[in-house]
Amino acid sequence: MRLLLLAPPGAGKGTQGERLAAWSGARHIAAGDLLRAEAKAGGLLGREIAAYQARGDLVPDQIVLDVLTPAVTEAAARGGYILDGFPRTLPQATAAAELAARLGVTLDAAVYLHAPEPVLTRRLLDRASQIGRSDDKADVIRHRLQVFAETTRPLVAYYAERGILVTVDADQPPDSVTADIQARLSELSPTRPRRHGSGFRS
Ligand code: AMP
């Protein structure tokens, strides 16, 4: 199975990505986590990435592609992937499509998780009090939501045009969101062989 999660900050793509990976056997590739690991490793590149993340700005496309491509390539050769937070820009989407074509694979679905902005803000502020990520501060949260609206949301139309967009209401308890995603994905290919009873294309 190969899919991507398209979602504003706070919509629960990390949680859903982990669950879908455990359920399907595909690898959960979380762009933010891989970039945070790179930032933590330090060095010039790490410090540059950390600065973008702390401000809530997107890390430049080329850096993201350099960090993500090996993980995507490896996962494509195994059980597939759940891309969480990648792509986030149109050039990244184009590059991801080119990479998939080079690897001889296609994307089964782009899952768009949506929720009202006040819900997203409240969840991120709750997480801030629990985990304390450097970008979970009120002004940075506002900026990240704006970056999503301006730069990432256009990908919803991009994947709708390609006929693989699945839209799910993320303003529900996590179990209901997972169930909705699974149901919607199962509808995509009712006649194809089922994997782990899921109806996923694999
Ligand atoms: P996330 O963990 O998905 O909320 O991402 C946290 C931060 O990592 C974002 O605010 C960006 O600074 C950076 N980031 C994650 N994914 C991407 C991406 N695909 N392109 C650019 N920056 C990204």
Side-chain angles (χ1 to χ4, degrees):
M1 188 206 12
R2 288 168 300 273
L3 57 89
L4 64 86
L5 297 173
L6 194 56
K13 62 186 163 45
T15 303
Q16 299 302 328
E18 271 171 29
R19 289 175 176 209
L20 292 170
W23 178 60
S24 68
R27 176 170 171 196
H28 176 215
I29 299 179
D33 289 350
L34 290 182
L35 290 165
R36 268 186 294 279
E38 201 68 38
K40 215 171 153 196
L44 208 62
L45 179 66
R47 282 199 296 278
E48 196 183 342
I49 292 172
Y52 282 106
Q53 288 192 311
R55 288 195 301 267
D57 284 327
L58 293 182
V59 174
D61 291 335
Q62 194 53 54
I63 296 178
V64 173
L65 290 168
D66 289 348
V67 171
L68 271 286
T69 299
V72 173
T73 303
E74 199 188 296
R78 295 168 187 240
Y81 43 73
I82 315 285
L83 299 179
D84 158 358
F86 171 79
R88 257 170 152 113
T89 67
L90 277 170
Q92 286 181 22
T94 311
E98 282 165 5
L99 174 62
R102 268 205 309 282
L103 298 172
V105 298
T106 53
L107 205 58
D108 296 306
V111 179
Y112 174 40
L113 301 176
H114 68 92
E117 223 166 274
V119 172
L120 301 171
T121 305
R122 194 192 63 231
R123 285 186 187 168
L124 291 166
L125 288 172
D126 282 353
R127 184 173 76 186
S129 62
Q130 289 159 18
I131 303 177
R133 244 170 66 168
S134 70
D135 55 353
D136 282 343
K137 297 186 181 80
D139 54 338
V140 182
I141 288 171
R142 252 195 316 277
H143 182 58
R144 286 161 62 208
L145 289 169
Q146 194 184 347
V147 167
F148 175 82
E150 287 171 5
T151 311
T152 306
R153 196 180 285 131
L155 297 188
V156 171
Y158 175 91
Y159 289 109
E161 278 163 20
R162 278 150 189 80
I164 56 167
L165 187 75
V166 167
T167 301
V168 171
D169 177 9
D171 186 13
Q172 314 180 69
D175 286 351
S176 307
V177 177
T178 308
D180 276 5
I181 298 173
Q182 290 171 339
R184 295 295 307 284
L185 292 173
S186 299
E187 286 166 14
L188 288 181
S189 54
T191 57
R192 301 271 303 252
R194 292 181 173 242
R195 179 192 170 94
H196 300 291
S198 67
F200 269 127
R201 286 187 262 176
S202 56

